[in-house]
Amino acid sequence: QKEVEQNSGPLSVPEGAIASLNCTYSDRGSQSFFWYRQYSGKSPELIMSIYSNGDKEDGRFTAQLNKASQYVSLLIRDSQPSDSATYLCAVPSGNTPLVFGKGTRLSVIA
Amino acid sequence: DAGVTQSPTHLIKTRGQQVTLRCSPKSGHDTVSWYQQALGQGPQFIFQYYEEEERQRGNFPDRFSGHQFPNYSSELNVNALLLGDSALYLCASSLFHRYYEQYFGPGTRLTVT
């Protein structure tokens, strides 16, 4: 099975700062990429999808994709304590609808 | 707009027992996928159902089986429970032609003692 790698963290940033979350994937054929947010004890929530190289912005969130480097990132601007959660990167691969990384735990300090 | 629902919320079973978990997809969705999430890990794909058939399967033993009903709802069955089956079981729904855009239900927390 193809792999998705994320730094498990925790990543700690002060309130108002930019949080940068990174993900690498092994399947060069992947065409779509997803970021999920998971609060402790809750289920994953889809927050961003990106399909082509470059940046995609949605409110305070920006997803960045570089297929040549097999790298996708999520930037959170003006981080708030409510952004504290685990962020999961997910990529469709082969016969698997979504292969997830282990997630990066983000802590925004007020 | 009704989201994905799952039942029960929590479940405690004993080793060797069997369990059935249930899922209703988001309104308008026709495809259901099941995932297992152990503590500190990302969700692991179990299988996917569309048109009442298992379409794709992850690396899980035959003790894990499922079913999809004509109304698109789905069940996950696990036989001969092991301690290692303790996890959060997540159901995700999607449209078949956009199967990768998945929306998760709240999950069922299964504890095997």
Side-chain angles (χ1 to χ4, degrees), chain A residues 1 32 34 36 38 41-46 49 51 86 88 92-103, chain B residues 33 35 37 40-45 48 56-59 88 90 98-107 109:
Chain A
Q1 178 176 291
S32 49
F34 303 90
Y36 285 80
Q38 186 172 26
K42 302 296 185 181
S43 63
E45 174 192 8
L46 179 62
S49 58
Y51 303 97
T86 295
L88 297 161
S93 181
N95 290 329
T96 304
L98 289 176
V99 177
F100 283 86
K102 291 184 178 182
Chain B
S33 301
Y35 292 81
Q37 187 176 25
Q41 303 294 315
Q44 296 288 315
F45 173 67
Q48 182 184 74
Q56 297 176 341
R57 189 178 182 93
N59 188 26
L88 179 67
L90 296 161
R98 294 181 72 85
Y99 63 90
Y100 39 82
E101 287 190 2
Q102 305 205 336
Y103 296 85
F104 285 87
R109 173 72 62 187

Side-chain angles (χ1 to χ4, degrees), chain A residues 2-21:
Chain A
K2 304 296 185 178
E3 294 183 346
V4 176
E5 300 287 341
Q6 295 182 255
N7 188 324
S8 60
L11 173 66
S12 294
V13 300
E15 184 175 359
I18 296 175
S20 178
L21 305 161

Side-chain angles (χ1 to χ4, degrees), chain A residues 19-33:
Chain A
S20 178
L21 305 161
N22 304 315
C23 170
T24 59
Y25 59 93
S26 62
D27 187 352
R28 285 195 169 274
S30 297
Q31 297 295 318
S32 49
F33 307 86

Side-chain angles (χ1 to χ4, degrees), chain B residues 55-75:
Chain B
R55 297 291 176 156
Q56 297 176 341
R57 189 178 182 93
N59 188 26
F60 278 81
D62 292 345
R63 298 187 298 109
F64 291 77
S65 63
H67 190 76
Q68 186 181 33
F69 299 93
N71 67 352
Y72 308 119
S73 67
S74 177
E75 289 182 349

